[in-house]
Amino acid sequence: MVAVNLGVLHYVLDHIYGAFVHRTKLTPPFFSRGWGGSNLDLLESIIKQFFQGVSGQKWPPPGLVQPVWRTVWETKTTCLREGTFKTPCDRQVIAALPPESHNARVAFLAPKFVPPHQMACVVHLAGTGDHTFERRLRLGAPLLKENIATMVLESPFYGQRRPRLQHGAKLLCVSDLLLLGKATIEEARGLLNWLENEAGYGKMGVCGLSMGGVHAAMVGSLYPTPIATLPFLSPHSAAVAFCEGILKHGTAWEALREDATQQAAMTLEQVQERMRSVLSLTDVTRFPIPKNPNAVIFVAATDDGYIPKHSALELQKAWPGSEVRWVTGGHVSSFLLHSDEFRKAIVDALNRLN
C-alpha cells in the first residue's frame, strides 16, 4: 500500500509541476506561431533520410567540428574548458536555423593528466528547459573518478543560442522542434568524431534526460562506430510527450488550427492527428539499430506523468540486446533523486564496449 501511495504521489507531483509550468499564462505555450511553413516541409524531407541511416553528409567529413577552447577553471587534477564551433549542418538547415543558433557552445570537464586513450568521454544532451551547462556537469563530475570525462552541448534554441523572440524553452513553431533535433544530432556526432579522431579517446558515449534522451538515442543509432547510448526518462517519440503526456497542455492547439499554412477548416482533432504525423519523424524505433545494442541502457521511471511505461518498452523491443532499468519515481522526482542510477548506467554501458 505504501509503495502504491508513493507511486501516486510521484505521478501527482509531475502533474502539479506540469500544471504550473504549462497551464499558467506566465509564458506563451509551445508553437504559438504555428507549424513553421516551408521550414517544416524541409525538415520532414531531411529527417526521413535518418530512417535509412543517411545523414545527408559524407562521413566523416573533414573538419566537421573543430572547437576553439578556453579554460574556465582548473585545479591540480581537473580542467573545465568551454568551446565554440560552427554548427556542421548543411546550408539548407543553417538557413532555417535562427542566427543565434549558428554557433554551438560546449563545456568539457576532464582530468589533466590521464591520457585520453585510457579514458572514456560521454556527450550529455539537454532536456527540455535545460539552458545551461551546470546540471549536466554536476551529473558527470563524479564520473571523473571512473576516468570518464564529460562533454556538455548547449542545444540550438537554448541558452545563448535562443532566438530573441522565444520565451524560455517554448519553441515558436513545430518546425523548430525538428530543427533543434536535426542540429543536435549533427553537432553531437561531430563532437564524438572529434573525441575519437582528434582527442584520441578510447571509449565514447552519449546520454540525455527526457528530450535529450530522445536525441541521445538518435545519435547512438546513427554514429558509425559502437558507442554507449543512454536515454534517461525519455519517450520513444516526441509525439508521446506532446500528444499523450503533460506537454499537450502547454501546446498552442488553437494557433496551430488557425495557421494559414494548413487547411482553414481543420478541427482540433485533425490538428492533433497532424501533430502525431509530424512528430512520428522523431520515433526512434524507426531509426537503425545501434552498432552495439548491448551498450544501450534506458533508464525509465515507474510513475512518470510525462512518459508512459509502454514508450520505454517500445524502444527496448525495437533494439534487441538493449536494457531497460527502472527507478522508483516520477519524471520530476527521478530527475532530482536518481543521479547515482544514471551514473551507474553510464559506467555499465561503457564497460560493455570492451
Side-chain angles (χ1 to χ4, degrees), residues 22 24 114 116 129 169 183 193 198 279 288 348-349:
H22 302 300
T24 62
V114 181
N193 181 63
E198 300 290 333
L279 295 188
D348 292 346

Side-chain angles (χ1 to χ4, degrees), residues 14-309:
D14 280 351
H15 281 267
I16 292 173
Y17 176 82
F20 175 76
V21 173
H22 302 300
R23 297 197 190 199
T24 62
K25 298 187 182 297
L26 298 178
T27 61
F30 283 98
F31 317 134
S32 59
R33 296 201 171 191
W35 297 97
S38 59
N39 280 352
L40 182 59
D41 297 333
L42 169 68
L43 268 296
E44 285 183 295
S45 64
I46 289 175
I47 291 175
K48 286 176 181 176
Q49 299 177 21
F50 283 152
F51 302 152
Q52 288 78 42
V54 178
S55 71
Q57 295 175 323
K58 183 179 179 181
W59 187 262
L64 175 65
V65 163
Q66 293 290 338
V68 176
W69 298 103
R70 69 176 183 89
T71 298
V72 178
W73 57 257
E74 59 183 328
T75 66
K76 291 182 179 181
T77 59
T78 307
C79 181
L80 176 66
R81 293 184 291 166
E82 289 186 6
T84 58
F85 60 92
K86 292 183 178 179
T87 185
C89 294
D90 60 35
R91 293 179 182 177
Q92 286 181 303
V93 174
I94 291 174
L97 283 168
E100 296 90 341
S101 292
H102 288 183
N103 292 315
R105 296 176 65 241
V106 63
F108 191 18
L109 181 67
K112 292 171 68 173
F113 302 115
V114 181
H117 70 273
Q118 297 179 8
M119 293 191 58
C121 185
V122 174
V123 177
H124 294 238
L125 304 181
T128 302
D130 191 355
H131 290 266
T132 65
F133 297 137
E134 282 73 18
R135 292 177 187 170
R136 286 168 284 162
L137 286 173
R138 286 199 299 271
L139 178 63
L143 294 172
L144 289 173
K145 65 181 183 294
E146 306 280 352
N147 283 337
I148 300 172
T150 291
M151 183 171 274
V152 179
L153 175 65
E154 181 181 69
S155 287
F157 296 90
Y158 277 25
Q160 295 185 23
R161 307 179 71 185
R162 186 179 68 187
R164 181 174 56 86
L165 297 177
Q166 179 183 307
H167 296 275
K170 301 297 181 66
L171 302 174
L172 296 174
C173 299
V174 175
S175 61
D176 291 348
L177 183 64
L178 301 183
L179 274 170
L180 189 162
K182 165 65 175 174
T184 296
I185 291 168
E186 297 298 358
E187 291 166 9
R189 280 161 36 103
L191 289 170
L192 289 164
N193 181 63
W194 182 86
L195 287 166
E196 181 178 11
N197 296 305
E198 300 290 333
Y201 273 79
K203 295 180 182 179
M204 301 179 303
V206 61
C207 74
L209 284 156
S210 196
M211 177 184 73
V214 177
H215 295 151
M218 294 174 175
V219 172
S221 163
L222 296 169
Y223 198 69
T225 60
I227 62 173
T229 304
L230 298 130
F232 300 145
L233 310 178
S234 63
H236 72 284
S237 166
V240 174
F242 284 98
C243 299
E244 297 180 32
I246 291 172
L247 291 182
K248 68 182 179 183
H249 302 298
T251 299
W253 297 111
E254 187 61 24
L256 293 168
R257 191 184 69 81
E258 294 176 353
D259 189 343
T261 63
Q262 302 299 315
Q263 302 174 32
M266 288 181 76
T267 65
L268 182 57
E269 183 177 347
Q270 289 172 323
V271 171
Q272 292 176 333
E273 188 57 36
R274 167 65 171 149
M275 180 70 85
R276 285 184 182 276
S277 174
V278 169
L279 295 188
S280 70
L281 295 170
T282 68
D283 185 344
V284 185
T285 66
R286 301 173 69 185
F287 281 60
I289 297 174
K291 302 298 183 294
N292 184 351
N294 292 321
V296 178
I297 299 177
F298 305 103
V299 180
T302 55
D303 300 283
D304 195 323
Y306 284 75
I307 312 300
K309 288 182 178 180

Side-chain angles (χ1 to χ4, degrees), residues 336-348:
L336 296 173
L337 300 176
H338 292 300
S339 293
D340 286 343
E341 284 84 351
F342 299 146
R343 294 187 192 105
K344 186 177 188 307
I346 289 172
V347 172
D348 292 346

